[in-house]
Amino acid sequence: MGTTPSRYDDLSKNIYLEKFCGKKSILPNDPFWNTFLSYNMRPPVTRNDQIELDSRLDSSCQQLLANNISTGNFGSLIQVALMRASNLLAPMQNQKIISAWQTYNALFAVRCILKYLIETVGEEEMIKHIEAPQLPVPTQSNASYRLKDLFEALVDIITDVPLCEFTYVVHLEAINCLLVLLSVQLFSQTAAEYSCIYRIAMHSHSSEHAPAMVCTLLHNFVQQEHAPPGLLTQQPGGSIVFSIAAGLWNVITMGMGSSLKNVQVTSNGTSEEEERKRDTETPLASQSLLLLLVLTNHCTATQNPYRNALFTFIDMQG
């Protein structure tokens, strides 16, 4: 990470990553973040790439796990991501492109850490790391303020940031971050109704945006917008925003989409190869549908605003 292209082999000795995971607190307004979020690293494309990235990040994540409660650097990263996301509404085109690049980088880093924490220590400890203060402060309530802000900001990105060529990857990463947060249910023995993350999704300010969220996710799926050139395949002379995001969909699917496999016909007559092509060409549509299914099929025994919005949805355009 940093201003130079990063390779997986370099992560364990990357000075910026070492500082982030180290024992020194880094405030959200520190110039460090401008450099830290200016990396140009291709995410994993295959299953083996994902396994390699996880192994390369493991020691850094362990170091962050040991130090973050006292440094609060993960919380700072989240706050920086929120500030970068707010800049996407800036009027100047160049500012938007730079903000999109750094917002994507920040959200991708946040998602990698969230994934590690959820799989390693579970939801309760993950929340402690998100909310960890940087300096000694008076005892606060147990409300998850930073987590709530993150969840609501991700919803705002999806519903409010205009979708265009250079914000496509940010929309996709915002959806992926929500999916990772909501994946806590996979590692819990209790019902989703008792999850702090699901309570935020269903009962906080985020739930007020449920109709807009459902409408946006449905629109994304119906439109089947193709990924911009260079998003999933590296092309010479392409935008830096898209080059760093190449293979993003295969990160989510653990590289299964890019592996060589025989074409097989599924029960509905659609070949697996056709499904793979669909998912890699229109990842935003596929992930939007997945997020919609997750939101509407959890917490069904209680009031679910997303489920209600879906069942009362009306196409006003006729």
Side-chain angles (χ1 to χ4, degrees), residues 124-145:
E124 184 176 350
E125 290 298 316
M126 177 199 69
I127 293 175
K128 291 180 181 179
H129 280 273
I130 292 176
E131 303 299 332
Q134 293 179 304
L135 299 172
V137 294
T139 302
Q140 298 177 337
S141 65
N142 293 327
S144 299
Y145 296 112

Side-chain angles (χ1 to χ4, degrees), residues 165-182:
E165 187 176 78
F166 57 82
T167 61
Y168 186 102
V169 66
V170 181
H171 277 261
L172 185 57
E173 191 57 39
I175 290 175
N176 291 336
C177 283
L178 285 178
L179 286 170
V180 168
L181 283 171
L182 295 171

Side-chain angles (χ1 to χ4, degrees), residues 9 24 28 56 65 74 86 102 136 140 146 149 152 163 170 179-180 213 236 252 300 309:
D9 294 342
K24 182 179 179 181
R56 298 294 182 184
L65 185 65
F74 183 39
S86 66
Q102 292 203 338
Q140 298 177 337
R146 197 175 285 147
D149 289 344
E152 292 178 353
L163 179 62
V170 181
L179 286 170
V180 168
M213 184 71 160
I252 304 158
T300 56

Side-chain angles (χ1 to χ4, degrees), residues 30-47:
D30 194 298
F32 163 83
W33 299 107
N34 292 328
T35 305
F36 182 73
L37 297 177
S38 297
Y39 63 88
N40 181 16
M41 180 180 68
R42 282 177 59 86
V45 176
T46 66
R47 179 191 296 270

